[in-house]
């Protein structure tokens, strides 16, 4: 690899790293704002204009708190837990293609550097591996705390992640079948035209994937590992100071990565309708290099718009739905999502055989019809007149 | 007993398929929260915007003067006795010749102190006072203090200024039905 390529690549990696951290920081702010707005409040607005310095104040507070390690805890594992959580969370954004490519000329040679940490042909597998490693951070931390609530929280996290990973993987397989590649860039390029976005070809898979992503990130309605009403603080009961900060921060990074992953897999990544027309017009009017780079910038912005929408969606759901009960969570995962996603795989396979991409709509339509008929045929609930009880 | 008419009858009938899918209910819930997202916020930005707390709010104490500007308090000590927090202390003095325009009664409080750190703003001092000399104003709060020596309020901060007289709204303007005898007493 020549020097300019290395430099540009390094810059891209640094920028992606910085953006990941920045977005995770400001997600905490956004979360509080969104929560406030959904509850008819205003939210943080004292630190800086519109409270924009709030995350910095929070981080400062975190740093100055006492860093406490319980006497009975296993010290090194106790420290390792949050580090693992943070490490795996940060690693996963490496393979996400954030935009097309940066083009520049050097020594009369044109280089095209993809805007992506690293382009590997097993990107999906990589993310999967790293994300499932993330549960080790929780497990190790919860176990090392030597506290029954922490341990219970950690066990819940582990079993929840394992159960939902299956459905997550199975709903992903349909996409892999249609693309024939594990590379995220290939998956995104497959969705170049608007009606071939996977959300349109895989509606059922999308719903399953989205729900499982919530469970994987331990977000409400599936935030049982840190369920305050039952488990004090869940796996991070014993944590304080920046170690706790790392756990919370890792959760927000995971949320960002999941949002990016969802928009890449189902919403065409950085593609937008009429993108090729725009690109051509830009390259014709401003030259192959500048035009291409501006087109890349637009793609970048589009991709982040999609990511921000999903981050908002994560928060929106969190402040809408109450927490599931643990048996409901397990029932939903094992008895509903796994059979459904297997069915999804079969139908998609059959569809591919006849070259029909939209086959899974069949399941969706059948389910809607079934739901409507069963509702209309269900016996009316007897309502006791008000005031008689 | 029924408190509101918003209660819903619950039943544990088996759920239909649509209900088991959760999705219709989830979408409905999301729509509700989204509507709230765009609704007008109810927050009152406290230090900048202050809310009217009603005519019976118990705030900053004031030692009243009468129409001629004479202090009403006669240092009888009934307020100090009534005070459950023992926040009030005073030193009595006899009125000298020529001080009739300063003090209304022959005995007056030379020192009158309220420890605002002890006070619980119960308003019992106001009720106890036979001379209608001490009131808790409804329109002003005791400000936050940073230093310990700020918390004991002497006469300099308690006695009413003649250019800033405290008038409690007449009882007939009070919206809530008064039940306490102190509320039915006419204000100065
Ligand atoms: S308001 Fe209550 S606590 Fe305060 S000084 Fe009066 S009697 Fe004492
Ligand atoms: S304020 Fe009223 S009750 Fe208290 S000493 Fe003065 S006259 Fe007596």
């Amino acid at each position: 690899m020549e020097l300019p390529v290395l430099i540009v690549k390094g810059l891209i990696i640094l920028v992606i790293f910085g953006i990941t951290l920045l977005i995770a920081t400001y997600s905490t702010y956004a979360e509080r704002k969104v929560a406030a707005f959904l509850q008819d409040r205003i939210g943080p607005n004292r630190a800086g204009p519109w409270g924009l310095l709030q995350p910095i104040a929070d981080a400062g507070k975190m740093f100055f708190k006492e860093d406490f390690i319980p006497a009975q805890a296993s010290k090194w594992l106790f420290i390792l837990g949050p580090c693992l959580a943070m490490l795996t969370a940060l690693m996963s954004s490496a393979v996400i293609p954030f935009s097309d490519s940066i083009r520049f000329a050097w020594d009369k040679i044109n280089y095209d550097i993809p805007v992506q940490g690293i382009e590997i042909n097993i990107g999906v597998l990589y993310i999967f591996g790293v994300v499932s490693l993330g549960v080790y951070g929780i497990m190790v931390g919860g176990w090392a705390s030597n506290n029954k609530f922490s341990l219970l929280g950690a066990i819940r996290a582990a079993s929840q992640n394992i159960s939902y990973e299956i459905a997550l993987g199975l709903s992903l397989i349909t996409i892999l079948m249609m693309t024939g590649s594990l590379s995220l860039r290939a998956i995104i390029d497959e969705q170049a035209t608007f009606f071939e976005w996977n959300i349109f070809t895989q509606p059922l898979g999308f719903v399953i994937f989205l729900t499982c992503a919530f469970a994987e990130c331990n977000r409400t309605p599936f935030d049982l590992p840190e369920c305050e009403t039952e488990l004090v603080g869940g796996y991070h009961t014993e944590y304080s100071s920046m170690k706790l900060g790392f756990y919370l921060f890792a959760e927000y990074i995971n949320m960002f990565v999941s949002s990016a992953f969802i928009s890449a897999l189902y919403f065409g990544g950085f593609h937008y309708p009429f993108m090729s027309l725009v690109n051509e017009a830009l390259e014709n009017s401003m030259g192959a290099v500048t035009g291409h780079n501006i087109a890349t910038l637009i793609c970048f912005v589009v991709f982040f718009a999609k990511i921000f929408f999903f981050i908002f969606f994560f928060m929106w759901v969190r402040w809408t739905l109450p927490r599931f009960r643990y048996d409901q969570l397990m029932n939903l995962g094992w008895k509903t999502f796994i059979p459904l996603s297997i069915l999804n795989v079969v139908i998609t396979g059959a569809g591919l055989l006849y070259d029909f991409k939209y086959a899974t709509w069949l399941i969706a339509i059948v389910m809607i019809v079934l739901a409507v008929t069963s509702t209309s045929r269900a016996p009316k609930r007897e309502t006791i007149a008000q005031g008689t009880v | 007993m029924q408190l509101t008419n918003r209660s819903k009858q619950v039943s544990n009938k088996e759920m239909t398929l649509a209900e088991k899918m959760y999705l219709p209910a989830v979408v409905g819930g999301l729509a509700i929260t989204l509507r709230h997202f765009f609704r007008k916020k109810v927050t009152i930005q406290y230090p900048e915007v202050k809310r009217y707390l009603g005519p019976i709010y118990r705030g900053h104490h004031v030692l009243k003067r009468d129409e001629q500007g004479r202090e009403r308090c006669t240092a009888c000590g009934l307020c100090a006795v009534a005070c459950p927090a023992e926040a009030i202390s005073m030193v009595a003095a006899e009125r000298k010749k020529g001080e009739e325009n300063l003090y209304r009664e022959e005995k007056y409080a030379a020192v009158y102190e309220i420890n605002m750190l002890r006070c619980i703003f119960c308003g019992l001092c106001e009720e106890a006072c036979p001379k209608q000399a001490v009131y808790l104003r409804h329109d002003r709060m005791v400000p936050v203090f940073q230093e310990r020596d700020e918390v004991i309020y002497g006469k300099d901060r308690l006695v009413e200024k003649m250019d800033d007289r405290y008038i409690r709204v007449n009882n007939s303007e009070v919206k809530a039905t008064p039940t306490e005898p102190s509320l039915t007493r006419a204000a100065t």
Side-chain angles (χ1 to χ4, degrees):
Chain A
M1 225 189 279
E2 298 91 40
L3 187 68
V5 180
L6 265 184
I7 291 176
V8 172
K9 197 91 216 179
L11 273 181
I12 290 175
I13 291 176
L14 271 184
V15 166
I16 289 177
F17 188 69
I19 286 181
T20 311
L21 285 181
L22 191 76
I23 287 185
T25 317
Y26 272 88
S27 295
T28 60
Y29 167 76
E31 171 113 74
R32 294 171 66 176
K33 272 284 185 201
V34 168
F37 269 71
L38 292 179
Q39 296 168 351
D40 293 344
R41 296 183 286 117
I42 292 179
N45 66 346
R46 294 286 143 167
W50 303 289
L52 275 174
L53 299 178
Q54 189 67 42
I56 297 164
D58 285 345
K61 181 204 80 171
M62 278 284 185
F63 269 115
F64 284 113
K65 286 207 161 181
E66 187 191 354
D67 196 2
F68 185 75
I69 298 182
Q72 299 299 313
S74 141
K75 192 175 170 212
W76 290 110
L77 290 182
F78 190 78
I79 297 171
L80 185 68
C83 301
L84 262 182
M86 191 73 176
L87 180 77
T88 51
L90 279 172
M91 267 164 67
S92 45
S93 62
V95 295
I96 293 171
F98 286 96
S99 186
D100 198 3
S101 60
I102 292 177
R103 182 175 292 173
F104 64 99
W106 180 269
D107 262 356
K108 301 189 182 59
I109 315 168
N110 268 346
Y111 293 99
D112 269 347
I113 314 272
V115 185
Q116 186 175 8
I118 181 171
E119 161 65 12
I120 45 176
N121 54 8
I122 50 157
V124 174
L125 207 59
Y126 172 86
I127 290 198
F128 244 69
V130 172
V131 165
S132 36
L133 267 183
V135 78
Y136 278 89
I138 296 177
M139 248 339 251
V140 167
W143 183 79
S145 308
N146 199 2
N147 171 326
K148 54 180 175 253
F149 292 119
S150 304
L151 185 62
L152 278 173
I155 290 174
R156 277 188 178 189
S159 60
Q160 173 178 330
N161 275 28
I162 290 166
S163 341
Y164 275 80
E165 220 144 74
I166 302 170
L168 192 77
L170 281 172
S171 64
L172 248 179
I173 280 186
T174 53
I175 290 185
L176 303 184
M177 280 161 63
M178 289 171 54
T179 315
S181 165
L182 277 165
S183 149
L184 269 173
R185 192 165 278 272
I187 291 175
I188 287 179
D189 286 339
E190 187 83 354
Q191 308 174 57
T193 46
F194 184 63
F195 284 106
E196 288 187 358
W197 283 12
N198 286 330
I199 172 76
F200 297 116
T201 52
Q202 292 292 340
L204 187 66
F206 170 66
V207 173
I208 295 175
F209 187 87
L210 188 69
T211 322
C212 294
F214 276 103
E216 288 284 302
C217 289
N218 298 331
R219 295 277 302 182
T220 339
F222 306 115
D223 62 342
L224 286 125
E226 42 192 294
C227 165
E228 301 89 356
T229 40
E230 297 156 24
L231 295 179
V232 195
Y235 58 88
H236 53 57
T237 305
E238 296 286 357
Y239 281 91
S240 61
S241 184
M242 212 48 204
K243 292 209 204 72
L244 175 67
F246 265 29
Y247 269 131
L248 303 183
F249 212 62
E251 185 186 319
Y252 283 101
I253 296 175
N254 278 334
M255 201 166 90
F256 165 67
V257 172
S258 314
S259 305
F261 205 40
I262 292 171
S263 15
L265 288 177
Y266 288 95
F267 285 83
F270 49 79
H271 287 280
Y272 52 93
F274 308 116
M275 180 171 119
S276 50
L277 290 182
V278 174
N279 286 7
E280 232 166 73
L282 277 172
E283 283 190 26
N284 286 341
S285 60
M286 305 175 82
V289 175
T290 344
H292 183 82
N293 285 345
I294 290 180
T296 302
L297 192 69
I298 296 177
C299 290
F300 191 74
V301 171
V302 167
F303 192 45
F304 269 90
K306 289 176 191 175
I307 294 177
F308 287 151
F309 172 77
F310 277 102
I311 292 181
F312 172 74
F313 187 74
F314 266 80
M315 294 171 182
W316 184 11
V317 168
R318 169 164 180 188
W319 298 101
T320 301
L321 299 183
R323 190 179 287 131
F324 273 61
R325 218 169 48 215
Y326 202 66
D327 62 319
Q328 289 172 330
L329 174 87
M330 283 296 157
N331 277 344
L332 194 68
W334 289 98
K335 293 192 191 158
T336 312
F337 281 162
I338 292 179
L340 261 185
S341 47
I342 291 176
L343 186 67
N344 198 19
V345 170
V346 172
I347 301 264
T348 310
L352 282 182
L353 208 57
Y354 294 102
D355 228 10
F356 181 57
K357 277 188 164 180
Y358 302 95
T360 45
W361 278 100
L362 204 65
I363 315 179
I365 292 168
V366 167
M367 276 177 65
I368 292 172
V369 170
L370 272 182
V372 170
T373 48
S374 80
T375 314
S376 56
R377 284 178 50 205
K380 278 267 176 295
R381 292 185 175 192
E382 54 201 60
T383 42
I384 304 166
Q386 297 251 328
T388 54
V389 185
Chain B
M1 194 181 71
Q2 195 176 5
L3 294 175
T4 65
N5 52 9
R6 293 197 295 177
S7 60
K8 273 195 188 145
Q9 200 61 49
V10 290
S11 96
N12 57 355
K13 277 251 160 59
E14 203 169 320
M15 290 200 284
T16 61
L17 185 66
E19 283 166 334
K20 270 191 211 146
M21 290 204 304
Y22 297 120
L23 281 179
V26 167
V27 172
L30 288 175
I32 290 175
T33 42
L34 194 64
R35 237 177 292 140
H36 279 271
F37 193 89
F38 296 108
R39 204 173 270 184
K40 200 171 162 289
K41 306 302 168 209
V42 295
T43 309
I44 296 169
Q45 304 267 347
Y46 167 61
E48 292 90 28
V49 185
K50 284 195 181 113
R51 175 183 173 192
Y52 178 58
L53 291 163
I56 55 167
Y57 181 75
R58 299 191 295 264
H60 199 299
H61 300 68
V62 60
L63 277 177
K64 288 291 293 179
R65 292 177 191 270
D66 66 4
E67 287 72 24
Q68 283 111 54
R70 301 176 298 187
E71 285 176 22
R72 299 185 71 106
C73 175
T74 181
C76 65
L78 283 177
C79 52
V81 172
C83 179
E86 300 188 351
I88 303 178
S89 60
M90 71 195 70
V91 174
E94 200 177 331
R95 185 178 69 186
K96 303 266 161 38
K97 267 244 147 45
E99 285 181 338
E100 284 86 355
N101 59 336
L102 290 180
Y103 310 110
R104 190 181 157 107
E105 313 290 337
E106 283 161 11
K107 185 181 156 215
Y108 71 95
V111 179
Y112 189 100
E113 285 176 344
I114 300 181
N115 187 336
M116 291 299 180
L117 213 51
R118 305 192 75 161
C119 173
I120 55 171
F121 300 94
C122 61
L124 287 181
C125 47
E126 176 181 319
E127 271 184 61
C129 181
K131 294 289 175 190
Q132 300 178 15
V134 66
Y135 277 93
L136 271 65
R137 24 188 342 157
H138 71 279
D139 55 352
R140 200 169 296 170
M141 290 186 202
V142 176
V144 175
F145 22 76
Q146 260 98 32
E147 303 289 337
R148 266 173 186 275
D149 48 12
E150 284 175 38
V151 300
I152 295 178
Y153 277 46
K155 274 179 83 171
D156 51 333
R157 280 191 281 183
L158 290 173
V159 176
E160 181 178 42
K161 310 274 180 303
M162 280 313 274
D163 52 359
D164 178 27
R165 297 207 68 182
Y166 171 58
I167 293 160
R168 178 159 309 169
V169 249
N170 205 315
N171 197 44
S172 57
E173 290 165 35
V174 179
K175 298 242 164 44
T177 15
T179 48
E180 296 285 314
S182 70
L183 292 176
T184 43
R185 187 170 52 190
T188 331

